[in-house]
Amino acid sequence: MKLCRYGKDGFEKPGMIDAEGRVRDLSKVIESIGPKEISPRELKMLSKVKPESLPVVAGNPRLGVPYVGIGKFVAIGLNYSDHAKEAGQPIPSEPVVFMKATTCISGAYDNVIQPKNSTKLDWEVELGIVIGTKAQYVSEAKALYHVAGYCVVNDVSERAFQLQSSQWDKGKGCDSFGPMGPWLVTTDEIRDPQVLDLWLDVNGKRMQTGNTRTMIFSCAQIVSYVSQFMTLLPGDIITTGTPAGVGLGMKPEPVFLKVGDVMTLGIKGLGEQKQKVVAWPG
């Protein structure tokens, strides 16, 4: 299934995407899409709903964050060897874990806001893992049983803020730095998360091309690893790193986003995002 939330910011309704890519209204079936609705029991119930039985949503509605109730936004850094190389960092021997603020989360087509004093705004297309059941000290073999589905994430970064210290969080959690969606795609559609093509364009120019098969640590390894240090709860999301091609790694000089630039990005089977960079309104 492809689950979404559509409508004006703060007034979204639950939806389902049909085979033709149209949004279908789910609000007569469920009130929202959150931790309860992405549990195995509820997803099994939803899987019995035929999209063609639901009303088509007219027009071209805004697609918001595909589900609510995100308690933790965990991120993995340097998880593609080519990206680690372009960043001038050694290949990590274990996953590099940091956190993105939940206040940075936004819809797949919402604007990205350049923060005050930002000089090095950058992009990162990533695969997001959405947790469906509590994961605590889980094994790698059983890790993916705790996953409800996957989505596209743009791990927007402000490199000047990020690299001011050894802690990356302040360059990763600014408002609008976590576009998610457009959909949450359940695991019945993504049998193997390690065979997915990723790409990102800036102003129509291809910047990133990759495939999740080249991740240093697989989705199963990541879920298992993170669960050794923090309990993962339904609704938590882990974004899994980015392939080469970020602005910081461009040669001979880095290239950073400016107001007016447009990012378009996607992952095979998970849909596409599009964001315009706008100035901080203050």
Side-chain angles (χ1 to χ4, degrees):
M1 293 178 291
K2 295 181 175 70
L3 302 174
C4 68
R5 293 170 61 250
Y6 70 92
K8 292 183 179 180
D9 189 13
F11 299 91
E12 294 93 343
K13 293 182 179 182
M16 181 182 288
I17 306 299
D18 67 17
E20 287 73 44
R22 296 174 296 190
V23 180
R24 300 276 186 157
D25 181 19
L26 257 180
S27 60
K28 296 294 177 60
V29 180
I30 53 175
E31 293 184 3
S32 183
I33 300 174
K36 175 186 174 184
E37 289 76 19
I38 63 174
S39 68
R41 179 180 178 180
E42 293 292 313
L43 287 178
K44 185 176 181 181
M45 181 274 291
L46 283 176
S47 70
K48 298 177 182 178
V49 177
K50 295 182 179 180
E52 57 268 23
S53 69
L54 303 171
V56 175
V57 177
N60 187 28
R62 169 186 173 270
L63 294 178
V65 181
Y67 70 100
V68 296
I70 302 171
K72 289 191 288 296
F73 192 173
V74 185
I76 306 299
L78 305 173
N79 196 32
Y80 289 73
S81 56
D82 55 359
H83 175 55
K85 182 178 179 180
E86 72 175 355
Q89 300 289 333
I91 303 300
S93 58
E94 58 185 81
V96 176
V97 180
F98 62 95
M99 306 293 284
K100 286 177 74 78
T102 55
T103 49
C104 83
I105 297 169
S106 58
Y109 297 93
D110 295 343
N111 291 334
V112 165
I113 303 167
Q114 185 168 30
K116 287 184 178 180
N117 305 312
S118 166
T119 57
K120 297 180 179 180
L121 189 65
D122 208 345
W123 57 84
E124 293 189 10
V125 58
E126 305 196 3
L127 172 66
I129 305 171
V130 178
I131 301 299
T133 60
K134 179 180 176 180
Q136 185 179 40
Y137 299 113
V138 299
S139 67
E140 182 181 334
K142 295 183 178 180
L144 296 187
Y145 292 118
H146 296 267
V147 175
Y150 304 92
C151 66
V152 183
V153 173
N154 188 354
D155 178 18
V156 182
S157 308
E158 214 306 327
R159 304 300 188 187
F161 299 173
Q162 177 187 351
L163 301 176
Q164 284 173 350
S165 74
S166 61
Q167 303 302 310
W168 292 359
D169 299 39
K170 65 184 180 181
K172 295 285 192 171
C174 302
D175 291 352
S176 77
F177 274 24
M180 292 182 185
W183 320 306
L184 165 61
V185 182
T186 52
T187 54
D188 59 310
E189 290 201 21
I190 306 295
R191 299 290 185 180
D192 183 357
Q194 304 306 148
V195 294
L196 305 177
D197 293 325
L198 308 86
W199 58 272
L200 182 144
D201 295 347
V202 177
N203 300 329
K205 181 180 179 181
R206 183 59 45 94
M207 297 297 189
Q208 289 185 278
T209 302
N211 188 287
T212 55
R213 74 170 65 92
T214 66
M215 288 166 58
I216 298 168
F217 304 103
S218 70
C219 292
Q221 289 174 311
I222 288 168
V223 172
S224 175
Y225 181 86
V226 174
S227 79
Q228 310 304 309
F229 304 99
M230 63 188 81
T231 299
L232 295 168
L233 298 176
D236 288 348
I237 185 167
I238 307 173
T239 191
T240 57
T242 197
V246 301
L248 181 66
M250 292 294 163
K251 307 297 183 190
E253 297 292 335
V255 175
F256 297 113
L257 295 164
K258 59 185 183 300
V259 171
D261 285 346
V262 175
M263 292 174 283
T264 310
L265 57 148
I267 300 177
K268 185 178 181 180
L270 300 182
E272 299 182 4
Q273 299 186 356
K274 186 176 183 178
Q275 299 108 27
K276 182 178 180 180
V277 179
V278 299
W280 173 257

